[in-house]
Amino acid sequence: MCVAGLCRSVVVSEIISVREEEENSSKDNGSWRKIREMQGRDCRQAFTVSYVERGRNHRWRCAEVTFVCSDAALCQRWVLSIREQPKQLLVYINPYGGKKQGKRIYEQKVAPLFTQAGITTQVIVTEYANHARDHLRADAELKQFDGVVCVGGDGMFSEIIHGLIWRTQVDSGVNPNSPEEALQPCSLRIGIIPAGSTDCICFATVGTNDPVTSALHIIVGDSQPMDACSVHHNDTFLRYSVSLLGYGFFGDVLSDSERKRWMGPARYDFSGLKMFLTHHYYEGTVSYLPAKGIMGTPRDEARCRSGQHSNMKYANECGSKLGEDEWRTVRGKFLAINAASMSCACPRTPKGLSPAAHLADGTTDLILVRKCSRFDFLRHLIRHTSKDDQFDLAFVEVHRVSRFRFMPRHCQSDSDLNLQEFHKRQIFGPLCRDHPACGCSPHYSSWNCDGEVLNHTAIDVRVHCQLIKLFARGIEEMTVFEEVTNPCAI
Ligand SMILES: CCCCCCCCCCCCC/C=C/[C@@H](O)[C@H](COP(=O)(O)O)NC(=O)CCCCC
Ligand SMILES: Nc1ncnc2c1ncn2[C@@H]1O[C@H](COP(=O)(O)OP(=O)(O)O)[C@@H](O)[C@H]1O
Ligand SMILES: [Ca+2]
């Protein structure tokens, strides 16, 4: 089918909207006359298709093409051809995330696209922390929605999954508090409109932090399954994590930066530099269950890409219980203990904390950075921003695991303490009890759990394969184009 003499085609699954052109419409600015001149008098039907056009760096934009034909039935089939797209969405906006632009970004860039695509919305601008989580847990009439949209950063996304996962378990009679329970996957998809400080979950699942691109992934109804870890302390549920669980460096950066929220996203640079200079290390024991039956390792060259590895469920996942004897243990002094359940790519590190990690394979990559010199730690950090392998250093080890535990050194009673209580005690005592005057490392760091500080240090982490779904498709290989469907052929 030709437009202005050019043969054009559109990928059916990337149609945003289709509208019939009315011949006598008041909006007709002579286009029908032009269509007739070029296509002949037989052309009685025309329709305009809005579709996804790819730009640079995984960005999507909306483009339009008008098709003409003589056959009304063909035209109708096109109008009905849009595949399952969401029709009703529940939108939560965090007005205080990132640079406080969430509301403006949604109203100016996203809402008009939803309207064009015929999507209706219920919009809730949050009024306090955990507003969205609590609304999803108890109040939201979820049956009427095809998905939930989160406008904010990783912390806001974390609220949404906590609400949704909890609600799904309670509705299906699963005890969300038990670390041994197989959790019920959430059926509603979540869309992320990036409006936070790091926005790593959006970047690692879409390839860019661009609100329009994210809105278009929602409109075309993309679906990307994603793993989530449950974090427990002594059989008490603490939180879920989908991206980074970090103790030591990333935990300290987060807790320091929370006191500097007024700085906006720059707080992470400030606290990052401060914590790098402080150079604290922490002692403890990490035990882990290596992932079984896996098809890759954290040292692979291959990346998690759309339609390839991102949807691989490894044999170990969701699966057979591994015996207690298969646990491995590492004791030592660590600058950082990180678990990356996805690459954790973000503008700070476009390849990510664990570049070969997969979104939906039922595993997390456990990265142990042992105590080393400041210079060596800097080498490790800088490698996140270059082609060099950040794991190819003597003091770094990385394991693909399905479960892990951490126990800080020092007395059991300390590690059982709620961290707030522990920090209170520290105010009245020296940081290091062994060497009161030396100013060396404190005993405990805290865990950075997708950008939220955890109150306990001793934790038990289990990966739940494909527990949630996003309106995304993973990062596309730049050279790969999907099969193109010519409208003449439908
Ligand atoms: C000298 C060059 C140093 C380069 C360091 C590169 C390493 C950066 C890794 C960043 C990993 C980010 C993982 C994502 C974490 C987010 O969940 C969390 C909260 O995000 P948000 O809610 O949007 O604010 N962000 C962080 O914890 C920030 C870590 C920044 C560390 C410098
Ligand atoms: N209305 C609100 N007022 C204050 N805090 C909020 C509000 N809505 C959400 N939050 C909290 O703000 C924190 C940070 O949100 P996020 O969107 O991740 O921004 P950032 O990326 O800048 O950290 C989250 O912990 C979330 O629970
Ligand atoms: Ca994973």
Side-chain angles (χ1 to χ4, degrees):
M1 187 157 300
C2 298
V3 180
L6 295 170
C7 277
R8 297 286 297 272
S9 54
V10 168
V11 180
V12 175
S13 62
E14 293 179 0
I15 294 174
I16 294 156
S17 62
V18 181
R19 76 171 182 269
E20 279 184 83
E21 296 295 345
E22 288 171 37
E23 190 170 357
N24 297 319
S25 136
S26 54
K27 288 184 202 151
D28 182 13
N29 50 7
S31 55
W32 267 105
R33 188 179 48 76
K34 280 188 224 148
I35 288 168
R36 287 256 159 74
E37 278 168 12
M38 280 191 289
Q39 306 293 326
R41 299 213 63 80
D42 261 3
C43 290
R44 304 210 153 267
Q45 307 290 326
F47 53 93
T48 297
V49 178
S50 301
Y51 63 98
V52 167
E53 189 171 68
R54 285 173 174 72
R56 296 179 65 193
N57 296 327
H58 306 284
R59 281 178 170 237
W60 284 11
R61 285 293 174 267
C62 197
E64 286 198 341
V65 57
T66 300
F67 292 109
V68 292
C69 57
S70 53
D71 179 357
L74 178 61
C75 186
Q76 273 305 308
R77 276 161 69 195
W78 260 91
V79 174
L80 298 174
S81 70
I82 311 176
R83 71 167 184 174
E84 286 263 306
Q85 289 182 348
K87 292 282 164 242
Q88 265 202 296
L89 294 171
L90 177 56
V91 180
Y92 294 99
I93 303 176
N94 176 359
Y96 293 107
K99 294 179 180 160
K100 300 190 168 63
Q101 297 296 306
K103 206 159 168 283
R104 186 191 61 78
I105 289 172
Y106 180 76
E107 283 164 2
Q108 292 184 5
K109 300 190 169 183
V110 179
L113 288 171
F114 284 173
T115 306
Q116 182 191 337
I119 294 173
T120 55
T121 51
Q122 179 186 338
V123 178
I124 297 176
V125 179
T126 61
E127 288 164 20
Y128 47 88
N130 291 325
H131 182 173
R133 184 200 67 183
D134 294 346
H135 185 256
L136 274 166
R137 264 191 185 197
D139 304 324
E141 292 280 349
L142 294 183
K143 282 203 176 73
Q144 69 187 77
F145 297 105
D146 305 309
V148 177
V149 174
C150 161
V151 185
D154 294 336
M156 186 61 185
F157 179 80
S158 178
E159 273 201 33
I160 303 287
I161 61 163
H162 279 80
L164 260 191
I165 297 174
W166 191 271
R167 177 80 174 263
T168 307
Q169 308 321 307
V170 171
D171 286 354
S172 43
V174 175
N175 174 8
N177 275 313
S178 162
E180 307 305 331
E181 282 266 5
L183 299 181
Q184 183 72 23
C186 303
S187 54
L188 282 183
R189 280 168 289 174
I190 311 169
I192 310 174
I193 305 296
S197 301
T198 314
D199 299 317
C200 131
I201 300 159
C202 179
F203 195 95
T205 53
V206 173
T208 181
N209 284 341
D210 173 51
V212 170
T213 305
S214 288
L216 296 178
H217 279 282
I218 296 169
I219 291 169
V220 302
D222 272 343
S223 187
Q224 171 65 53
M226 211 162 80
D227 301 334
C229 296
S230 58
V231 185
H232 284 80
H233 167 84
N234 287 348
D235 289 342
T236 306
F237 170 77
L238 298 181
R239 285 193 80 85
Y240 297 109
S241 163
V242 294
S243 58
L244 166 70
L245 260 168
Y247 187 79
F249 182 69
F250 287 110
D252 294 348
V253 170
L254 183 73
S255 27
D256 190 70
S257 68
E258 281 297 300
R259 295 187 283 269
K260 301 178 179 63
R261 273 207 160 261
W262 56 269
M263 291 173 85
R267 69 191 185 278
Y268 290 133
D269 302 311
F270 181 91
S271 299
L273 178 65
K274 179 173 161 188
M275 288 308 148
F276 168 74
L277 293 173
T278 312
H279 200 63
H280 282 319
Y281 65 85
Y282 302 93
E283 294 189 62
T285 304
V286 182
S287 8
Y288 61 90
L289 274 177
K292 267 199 161 175
I294 57 170
M295 295 157 72
T297 79
R299 305 293 296 274
D300 287 342
E301 286 293 315
R303 300 291 177 251
C304 184
R305 287 293 173 263
S306 183
Q308 299 171 13
H309 304 281
S310 56
N311 292 326
M312 274 193 306
K313 275 190 180 187
Y314 288 140
N316 82 71
E317 60 85 14
C318 321
S320 50
K321 270 193 179 173
L322 292 170
E324 284 294 311
D325 53 334
E326 296 180 67
W327 283 87
R328 307 217 181 127
T329 300
V330 183
R331 261 187 213 94
K333 297 175 177 168
F334 303 99
L335 286 175
I337 297 167
N338 300 322
S341 298
M342 57 167 73
S343 71
C344 294
C346 61
R348 280 191 173 77
T349 166
K351 66 176 180 177
L353 274 185
S354 189
H358 291 287
L359 289 168
D361 63 349
T363 75
T364 187
D365 287 350
L366 183 62
I367 306 159
L368 308 178
V369 185
R370 288 179 187 270
K371 185 183 170 204
C372 62
S373 68
R374 269 196 192 82
F375 176 72
D376 277 341
F377 190 48
L378 183 62
R379 278 171 66 212
H380 168 64
L381 288 178
I382 285 177
R383 286 187 183 192
H384 289 83
T385 62
S386 75
K387 284 203 171 122
D388 297 329
D389 180 356
Q390 60 258 42
F391 303 139
D392 189 18
L393 293 161
F395 53 90
V396 180
E397 57 186 279
V398 57
H399 309 278
R400 190 155 282 178
V401 310
S402 56
R403 192 161 180 172
F404 75 93
R405 294 183 182 132
F406 175 70
M407 177 63 76
R409 193 181 150 240
H410 292 102
C411 47
Q412 177 73 32
S413 55
D414 271 3
S415 65
D416 276 344
L417 281 180
N418 177 310
L419 264 193
Q420 279 162 353
E421 180 62 24
F422 181 77
H423 288 313
K424 235 186 278 166
R425 289 190 193 182
Q426 279 192 329
I427 294 169
F428 302 106
L431 278 182
C432 169
R433 273 177 272 162
D434 297 340
H435 316 92
C438 72
C440 68
S441 275
H443 294 151
Y444 302 110
S445 172
S446 45
W447 284 96
N448 173 340
C449 177
D450 293 358
E452 302 297 306
V453 180
L454 285 189
N455 275 333
H456 291 89
T457 50
I459 59 169
D460 178 358
V461 179
R462 176 179 170 192
V463 189
H464 299 265
C465 188
Q466 305 193 1
L467 190 62
I468 58 173
K469 276 186 292 190
L470 299 192
F471 284 113
R473 58 172 67 175
I475 297 176
E476 292 182 310
E477 213 64 85
M478 293 287 202
T479 51
V480 172
F481 288 94
E482 287 191 24
E483 192 186 324
V484 169
T485 312
N486 188 307
C488 299
I490 64 169

